[in-house]
Amino acid sequence: MIGSGFIAKVHSNAIRQVGHFFDLPYELYLKVICGRNRQKLEAAASRWGWEEVEADWRAVVARKDIDVVDIAVPNALHAPIAIAAAEAGKIVMCEKPLAASLADAERMTEKISGLPNLVWFNYRRLPAIALAKQLIEEGRIGEPYHFRAIYLNQSGNDPSKSSTWRYQRGEAGSGAAGDLLSHVIDLAFYLNGPIRELSAMTHTFARGRDVDDAAVLLARYVNGSIGTFEASRYGVGCQNRITFEINGSKGMLRFNLDSMNELEYYDASEAPSLRASRALMVTGPNHPYWETFWKPGHAIGYEHPFIATLGDFFLAMAEGKPFHDNFEDALAVQRVLHAVEQSGVSGHWVHVDQRG
Amino acid sequence: MIGSGFIAKVHSNAIRQVGHFFDLPYELYLKVICGRNRQKLEAAASRWGWEEVEADWRAVVARKDIDVVDIAVPNALHAPIAIAAAEAGKIVMCEKPLAASLADAERMTEKISGLPNLVWFNYRRLPAIALAKQLIEEGRIGEPYHFRAIYLNQSGNDPSKSSTWRYQRGEAGSGAAGDLLSHVIDLAFYLNGPIRELSAMTHTFARGRDVDDAAVLLARYVNGSIGTFEASRYGVGCQNRITFEINGSKGMLRFNLDSMNELEYYDASEAPSLRASRALMVTGPNHPYWETFWKPGHAIGYEHPFIATLGDFFLAMAEGKPFHDNFEDALAVQRVLHAVEQSGVSGHWVHVDQRG
Amino acid sequence: MIGSGFIAKVHSNAIRQVGHFFDLPYELYLKVICGRNRQKLEAAASRWGWEEVEADWRAVVARKDIDVVDIAVPNALHAPIAIAAAEAGKIVMCEKPLAASLADAERMTEKISGLPNLVWFNYRRLPAIALAKQLIEEGRIGEPYHFRAIYLNQSGNDPSKSSTWRYQRGEAGSGAAGDLLSHVIDLAFYLNGPIRELSAMTHTFARGRDVDDAAVLLARYVNGSIGTFEASRYGVGCQNRITFEINGSKGMLRFNLDSMNELEYYDASEAPSLRASRALMVTGPNHPYWETFWKPGHAIGYEHPFIATLGDFFLAMAEGKPFHDNFEDALAVQRVLHAVEQSGVSGHWVHVDQRG
Amino acid sequence: MIGSGFIAKVHSNAIRQVGHFFDLPYELYLKVICGRNRQKLEAAASRWGWEEVEADWRAVVARKDIDVVDIAVPNALHAPIAIAAAEAGKIVMCEKPLAASLADAERMTEKISGLPNLVWFNYRRLPAIALAKQLIEEGRIGEPYHFRAIYLNQSGNDPSKSSTWRYQRGEAGSGAAGDLLSHVIDLAFYLNGPIRELSAMTHTFARGRDVDDAAVLLARYVNGSIGTFEASRYGVGCQNRITFEINGSKGMLRFNLDSMNELEYYDASEAPSLRASRALMVTGPNHPYWETFWKPGHAIGYEHPFIATLGDFFLAMAEGKPFHDNFEDALAVQRVLHAVEQSGVSGHWVHVDQRG
C-alpha cells in the first residue's frame, strides 16, 4: 500500500473485508504500508494490520515478497510508482484518475501491458449502477438519446483549501476534471460507450488556483446519442452528489448518489396510465451483489463497491478473465479529460482519441 | 350560498368554474350569498358575482327562485339549515362533516331523503385518489391487509386559536375528529369499505379547550383488514398532510397530499428485481379527469376536486344516477366519529353502526 | 383571443379567473375568439363565454371595440398579428416564444414600443420561482457560481407528431429551442441575469424533421457565473420536467416542476450539523401570491401562474409601472435562441447580443 | 458466538470490523462458533476466522478461555443460554428481542446483574437516529406531542414461511411483535421515554399460524405525549421499512429507514416563509460517528450501527460507564410487548409495568 490518507483507509478496508464476502482462491497478506508521515503511518498500520511501515515507495516496489502494489497517493506520483511496479512485474492497483497527464497515462498503460491491473473507479460496482448496466444490456432502454451526468461537491468554496495537493496543478494535473469529472466520464463509458467529440468549458472561481474548479461539456457519443456533463467543486449545497439520467426510446434510468441504493427506472412500454418512474431499491432480490453482502432491504454503504471491485478483480485474475476498469479503460477516460482541457482552452469542439 | 368564509370562496370558485370544464345540462345562476358580516359579504358577492347578499339564511331558504342551497358555515348550523332547505324541497350541498352530532346527522339524512344532495368530501375526486379506487376495483391490490391513514396539521399549536368556532364544542361538535379525521374516514370507506369496530383515544393538549386536539384509532374493517388512523392539530411540521397506505396481497398504494398529483403503486406480481414502488404522476393519460382539466404533465391544484365534485353531481342528477358522497355516506362517517368519541371516553372497543 | 387550441384554453381560463383573485380596476369583456376550425371555435366560445367567433384575425384586429389582443397561435403568426395589432394601437399579449425568428422578434418589439404588452412566460409567477427570485435578491445565495436548467418532455419520441406545426420550421421557427429552452432561458434571465456567450449543440433525432429535437448549451453569464442548459423532446420518462439549480457562495436553490409548489433551499451559513436542503412548500405564509389563491398548505396548479401573470399585468398597467415579461424581455430570450442556433451550426462560442 | 445464521454473520462482521474504526483497549479473539449444521458452521468459521466450531452451546459456555458469549439464535433459546452464561460469569451479548416471554426476560435480567451485558438493538446507533436523540436533548423539539412509528416488511405474505422458527410461538414467543415492534418500541423509549398505558390489536392473517402477523397499538407516554405504533409482516410493498415521526411544540423529526443516512428536521422557530422540513444527510460534519467511519457525504450501510454498538459497548466497559441497550432496557421493551399481547386479547387498555 503506497499512501496513508483517506483513500488508503478505504482500500485497506476493502482488502480486510474482501475475503469475508467473496470466495477467493488467494490469501491476502498485508505486508507493508508506505508514506511520509511516520506517526500517521504507524497508526494506520496498527489499525488495519499492515505488518510493516516504510517511507520510500521505491523500497517497497523493489521487494521480492510483494506481489501487489496499491497506489493511493497524489495523481502526479501515480506514473513513476506504477511504472516502477510494472517494471518489477507487480500486479498494480491504482487510484483514479490514472494520471496527472495524458502522456503519463499512456506510458503507464504501455508498461503495465500483460500484468493484471486495476483502476479504482469504484462506482461501477454500486449495485444500482451495475443494475443500470444490466437493464441497458437487456435492451430495456432501447436506442439511447441522452446520457447526462453531474458530479458536484462544495469543497472548492473553502478558500483555505488551495494549498492542498488537490488544488495544485503540479500534483493533481487538474482540478474538478480529474477529481470528479473522471468518475462520471467512466460511468458514461460503462453505460453509454465512448464519446466521439466534445465542447468544454473549464472555469476557476478562486483567485490564484491553477486548476479548474468546474469542468462542463457537451458531447456526441459514438452511438449517436448526446450528452452533457458537469463537474464542480463549487456545487454549494451538495456534499458528494453524482446524478445521471439516460433517456432512450424504450425507457429511462436515473440515479442519485444521495440515495445510493436506489435506481429509478421508467419503462415506456407499460400501459400509459401505469407508466411511471419506479424507485428500485437495489439490495435484492436478484440484484448485483445481493447475495454478497446483506439481505434484501438492507442498505450497503460507501465502501462496499470497493470491496466488490477487489473481489471481482481477484476472481477475474483467477479465472484468467478480463477485468474492468483496468489501465486501458482509465486511459480512455484520461483521453476525454485531455480533450476537455484542450477544448476549454481553444473554445472549439475536439475529437476524442478512440484508440484501444 | 350560506357562508362567506374560506370554504365559501372555494365553493364559489367551483360554481364559477364547473361549466368551463364539464358539459353540464344546467345553467348555474349565483343568486344570493348569505352571512353575518355585511362588508365581507359584499366583497365576496362582488368578487364572485353573487347577485344579492342576505343576512338571514331563513330568508334564503324561503325563496322560491332558489333551487340549490350550499351550506358553508360552522358545523352546528348544518342541521337547521339543511333541514329547513330539505323541507323547502331544495337541492342541498353541505360542507363536511355532515353535522356536529350523530343525532343531527341522522335527522338531516332522513329529511333530505328523495332530494338530490351532496356532501363536500372533496378528496375522493383528487385524480390520484380516484385512480387508487380504480386500481383497487381492478383487483390490483388483491386481498386487503392494511389501510392506514394520517391527517395532520399544526393549527392547534397556536393557543390563540381556542376562541374560533373550530375550537368550540358548541359550534364544531368536535375538534380534530370532525375537522380532519372525517376526511380520512371517508377515504377509508371509499377505498376499503366500512369499519366494523374500533378502539380510539382522543386527547386535548391545550388547556381549556373542550374539543379533541387529536383523535387516533385502531380499526377492524368488515372486509377483514385492519387499520390505524391518526388525526391531529398538533402535527407540528405538517401544514396540511394527509397520507394513506394500503397493503394487499397483490400490491400497495401510497398517497401523500403534499404531492397531491402523485400516487405510489407497487405491483407485487412483477419480477423480483424490478419490483418497486412507482410514482404515478396522475395527470394523464387515461387517468381520472385527465381530459377535464389540463394536459398530461400539468398539475392541478387544491380547488379542482371541488370543481369535479360539482360537475359529477350535476351530471349524475341529470342522468338520474346516484352520487357520492351524499348525506348517507356522510352519515356513515359520522357514525364512526361517534364511535371514536364513545371509545375515547370508555376506553373500550366499540362496534360501529352499519345501517344504511 | 386569436387561437383556439390548448394554450387559448389556458389563457381564457386566466381571463375568466383573474377578477376572482385580483382586485382589478378594469372590467374584462370577452368579445371575440378567432380561429380556423368553426366547430371547435364555437365550442370554445360557448364554454368560456366569448361573445363572438371570427375566422379572420385581421378582422379582429381592425375592430374598434377591442382593446386587447391575445395571440395564442403557431409561432410564425405571432409577428404579423402582433405588428398589425400594435399598428392598431392595441394592448398585445403574446404566447412565448415571442417569434419564429430573431428578425421577427425585433420588428415586433420595435412596433409595440409605447403600448402595454405582455409575453406569457408563465413560470416566473410560480410562487416557488418567485420565491427563488426573492431569496436571491435578499442576498441569501451570495455570489452566484452555477445556474443550470433542464427542460425535458418526451413528445418527440412519437414519430407521428412530425406533421404538427410544432415540428415544422416554417411554422415554429425551431423545435425544442423555442418550445422548451425558451422557458428556462427566461428563468435564467430572471434569476441570474443575462448570458454573455455560449457554446451550443442542436440535434434532431427523427428523420425528416427540420427542427431541433434537442438543444443544449454551455454559458458564461455577465455576472461571472457559468451555466449548462438542456432542452429535449426526447427526454423519455419526463412528461413535463423543468429543473434548475443555483449554487452560490452562501447557498443553493433547487426546483423541479414535478413538485411545482416546492422549492429546495440550502443555507450555507447554518451550523454544519444542521446544514441541509429544506423543502419549502411555497403556499404560504408570506410567500408570493399566498393570499391571492388558497391557504397555506393548499397547492395551486398549472393555471395559476397564468392568472397571476394577467393580474400583475393589469395592476402594473393601472399603476403605470413596468411589467415583465414584456416584448423586450422576450426579445432578449430570442437573441439567446438565435445564438444557440448559430453556435449549433458553427460549433463556435457565440457572443449574445446584449442590447436593450 | 452461538448461532450461524444471518444475524450471526452480521455480528461476526461487527467483531471483525470494530477494531478498524474504534480505538479499543481490548484485543478480540474469535474463539468458537456454535451451531447445529456442521457444514454451514465450518463455512462460517473459515470465512470469518472463528478458530473452532462446536455443536453444543453448553460446552461453549463452560469453557474457561471464553470471556464473551454472543447469542444469535431463536428467541426461546436466549434465556437458557444467557442464564447459563451469566452463571458462568461471562460477558453476554444477546440478539433482540431479549426473550420469548416476559418471565424469561425477567429471569435473564436478574441473573445478568453485575456483569457487562448488551442487547443488539442496532438502530439506536444509526447516526440519523442518534442525531434525533441529540436534537431532542438539546430541546429543539420542545414539548413532545406525538411519537408515531411503523415497521413493515412483507415476509408474512409468503405462506411457505409458516414453518420457520420466526412463525412458531414455541420458538419465537411472538410474531411481528417481537420481531419488528420491539425495534420501534425501543426507539420510542430512546427518543420519547416510557409508555404508561396502551391499547393494542394483534392480528394473524395466515391460517394456522400461532403468532401475530401484525401488532398495532395506541399509547400514552409518561411524558404526556401520545403515540401510535404499527408492526406488520403483511406490509406488502415494504421490504424493511421503519418510519417514525415526532411532533413537538418547537419542531418535528421524521425518519425513514429506506433513506437511512437521512433525518428530516423541521424547526418551528424559523421565519414562517423559510419554515420547512430539511433533509439532513447524517454523515457529518459533527454528526454522531462521523469521524468513526468515512467522510461527510459518504453513506454508511446496514452493518455500521452494529459495529458502533460493539465499539461503544467495549469503550463503556473499559471506562466503567453504563451502556445501553442492556438487558434492563430490553426488559422494559419486553414489558411493552407483554402489555400488547394482554391488550390484544382483552381489548382493554393496559398499564405498562414501569419498574427498573
Side-chain angles (χ1 to χ4, degrees), chain B residues 35-356:
Chain B
R36 278 175 285 194
N37 180 325
R38 181 115 199 149
Q39 201 177 346
K40 202 172 148 196
L41 206 58
E42 287 187 341
S46 136
R47 177 156 286 207
W48 294 98
W50 293 97
E51 292 172 13
E52 299 170 43
V53 301
E54 172 59 64
D56 179 8
W57 64 262
R58 286 170 213 278
V60 174
V61 169
R63 281 172 58 159
K64 298 279 183 216
D65 63 340
I66 284 181
D67 299 313
V68 185
V69 173
D70 184 9
I71 303 171
V73 291
N75 304 341
L77 282 169
H78 292 189
I81 301 172
I83 289 168
E87 284 172 346
K90 308 296 187 202
I91 298 164
V92 182
M93 310 194 295
C94 184
E95 183 53 27
K96 51 59 57 181
L98 183 54
S101 72
L102 178 54
D104 275 359
E106 282 170 342
R107 283 193 305 134
M108 291 161 76
T109 307
E110 192 181 313
K111 283 286 181 189
I112 206 72
S113 175
L115 293 167
N117 60 87
L118 169 164
V119 180
W120 290 98
F121 277 112
N122 55 304
Y123 292 115
R124 286 196 180 198
R125 281 172 176 85
L126 257 183
I129 292 177
L131 178 63
K133 174 71 169 174
Q134 188 182 309
L135 295 174
I136 291 166
E137 293 198 335
E138 288 170 13
R140 290 176 183 274
I141 305 309
E143 181 192 346
Y145 299 138
H146 295 282
F147 180 96
R148 70 186 68 79
I150 298 180
Y151 195 159
L152 302 179
N153 71 26
Q154 51 195 353
S155 58
N157 197 27
D158 177 352
S160 71
K161 290 208 173 165
S162 290
S163 58
T164 68
W165 73 264
R166 288 181 188 277
Y167 295 85
Q168 305 289 339
R169 177 168 295 272
E171 292 196 72
S174 67
D179 188 14
L180 308 180
L181 185 63
S182 63
H183 272 299
V184 287
I185 295 294
D186 182 61
L187 294 179
F189 269 102
Y190 183 49
L191 298 171
N192 200 38
I195 291 167
R196 202 179 66 215
E197 56 179 350
L198 60 83
S199 171
M201 163 169 61
T202 53
H203 190 81
T204 303
F205 290 102
R207 285 172 190 228
R209 274 188 203 149
D210 62 357
V211 294
D212 54 293
D213 288 325
V216 299
L217 64 134
L218 311 177
R220 295 190 181 274
Y221 290 86
V222 168
N223 69 10
S225 63
I226 64 176
T228 56
F229 292 87
E230 184 158 1
S232 176
R233 288 168 169 171
Y234 275 71
V236 174
C238 305
Q239 276 188 315
N240 190 40
R241 185 178 174 101
I242 295 178
T243 59
F244 65 76
E245 183 175 318
I246 306 169
N247 310 102
S249 56
K250 294 188 180 168
M252 185 266 283
L253 295 170
R254 189 184 288 145
F255 174 79
N256 183 340
L257 185 62
D258 286 342
S259 302
M260 63 173 258
N261 288 282
E262 276 183 47
L263 179 69
E264 276 190 63
Y265 167 51
Y266 176 95
D267 178 354
S269 72
E270 289 181 295
S273 65
L274 294 179
R275 213 176 280 161
S277 176
R278 61 180 89 171
L280 293 160
M281 185 66 62
V282 193
T283 56
N286 298 345
H287 291 141
Y289 305 106
W290 76 286
E291 292 178 314
T292 307
F293 299 113
W294 311 115
K295 286 196 303 190
H298 292 67
I300 61 160
Y302 168 67
E303 75 262 48
H304 296 80
F306 289 90
I307 301 170
T309 298
L310 206 57
D312 287 349
F313 174 69
F314 285 123
L315 289 178
M317 198 168 80
E319 297 170 16
K321 289 186 180 164
F323 172 84
H324 304 282
D325 284 337
N326 56 30
F327 277 40
E328 286 197 12
D329 302 317
L331 172 59
V333 172
Q334 202 88 32
R335 283 176 178 143
V336 173
L337 299 183
H338 186 70
V340 165
E341 194 179 345
Q342 286 184 304
S343 177
V345 170
S346 72
H348 296 142
W349 282 77
V350 172
H351 273 77
V352 180
D353 183 351
Q354 300 295 338
R355 275 174 301 171

Side-chain angles (χ1 to χ4, degrees), chain A residues 46-278:
Chain A
S46 135
R47 177 158 287 205
W48 294 99
W50 293 98
E51 291 173 13
E52 301 169 42
V53 300
E54 171 58 65
D56 180 7
W57 63 262
R58 287 170 214 279
V60 173
V61 169
R63 280 171 60 162
K64 300 279 182 216
D65 63 338
I66 284 182
D67 299 315
V68 186
V69 173
D70 185 9
I71 303 171
V73 291
N75 303 342
L77 282 169
H78 291 189
I81 301 173
I83 288 168
E87 285 171 346
K90 308 298 189 200
I91 298 164
V92 182
M93 310 195 296
C94 185
E95 182 52 27
K96 51 59 58 181
L98 183 54
S101 72
L102 178 54
D104 275 359
E106 282 170 342
R107 283 194 304 134
M108 290 162 76
T109 307
E110 192 182 312
K111 284 286 180 188
I112 205 72
S113 175
L115 293 168
N117 61 86
L118 170 165
V119 179
W120 290 98
F121 276 112
N122 55 304
Y123 291 115
R124 286 195 180 198
R125 281 172 176 85
L126 258 182
I129 292 178
L131 179 64
K133 173 71 169 173
Q134 187 182 309
L135 295 174
I136 290 167
E137 294 198 334
E138 289 170 13
R140 290 177 183 274
I141 305 309
E143 181 192 347
Y145 299 138
H146 296 282
F147 179 95
R148 71 186 66 79
I150 298 179
Y151 194 158
L152 302 178
N153 71 27
Q154 51 195 354
S155 58
N157 198 27
D158 177 353
S160 71
K161 290 207 173 166
S162 290
S163 58
T164 68
W165 73 264
R166 288 181 188 276
Y167 295 86
Q168 306 289 338
R169 177 169 293 272
E171 292 195 70
S174 67
D179 188 15
L180 308 181
L181 185 62
S182 63
H183 272 300
V184 287
I185 295 295
D186 182 61
L187 293 179
F189 270 101
Y190 183 50
L191 298 171
N192 200 38
I195 291 167
R196 201 178 68 215
E197 56 179 351
L198 58 84
S199 172
M201 163 168 60
T202 53
H203 190 81
T204 303
F205 291 102
R207 287 176 188 223
R209 272 186 204 151
D210 62 357
V211 294
D212 54 293
D213 287 327
V216 300
L217 63 135
L218 311 177
R220 294 190 183 274
Y221 291 86
V222 169
N223 69 10
S225 63
I226 63 176
T228 56
F229 292 87
E230 184 158 1
S232 177
R233 289 167 169 170
Y234 275 71
V236 174
C238 305
Q239 276 189 313
N240 189 40
R241 184 178 174 101
I242 294 178
T243 59
F244 65 76
E245 183 174 318
I246 306 169
N247 310 104
S249 57
K250 294 189 180 166
M252 186 266 283
L253 294 170
R254 189 183 288 144
F255 173 79
N256 183 341
L257 186 61
D258 286 344
S259 302
M260 62 173 259
N261 288 282
E262 275 184 47
L263 178 69
E264 275 191 63
Y265 167 50
Y266 176 94
D267 179 354
S269 72
E270 289 181 295
S273 66
L274 294 178
R275 214 176 280 161
S277 177
R278 62 181 88 172

Side-chain angles (χ1 to χ4, degrees), chain D residues 222-303:
Chain D
V222 168
N223 69 10
S225 63
I226 63 175
T228 56
F229 292 87
E230 184 157 1
S232 176
R233 289 167 168 170
Y234 275 71
V236 174
C238 305
Q239 277 189 314
N240 190 40
R241 184 179 174 100
I242 294 177
T243 58
F244 64 76
E245 183 175 318
I246 305 170
N247 311 104
S249 57
K250 294 190 181 166
M252 186 265 284
L253 294 170
R254 190 184 286 145
F255 174 80
N256 183 341
L257 186 60
D258 286 343
S259 302
M260 63 174 257
N261 288 283
E262 275 182 48
L263 178 69
E264 277 190 62
Y265 167 50
Y266 176 95
D267 179 354
S269 72
E270 290 180 295
S273 66
L274 295 178
R275 216 176 278 163
S277 177
R278 62 181 89 172
L280 292 161
M281 184 67 63
V282 193
T283 56
N286 299 344
H287 292 139
Y289 305 108
W290 77 284
E291 292 179 312
T292 307
F293 300 113
W294 310 116
K295 285 195 305 189
H298 292 67
I300 61 160
Y302 168 67
E303 75 262 48

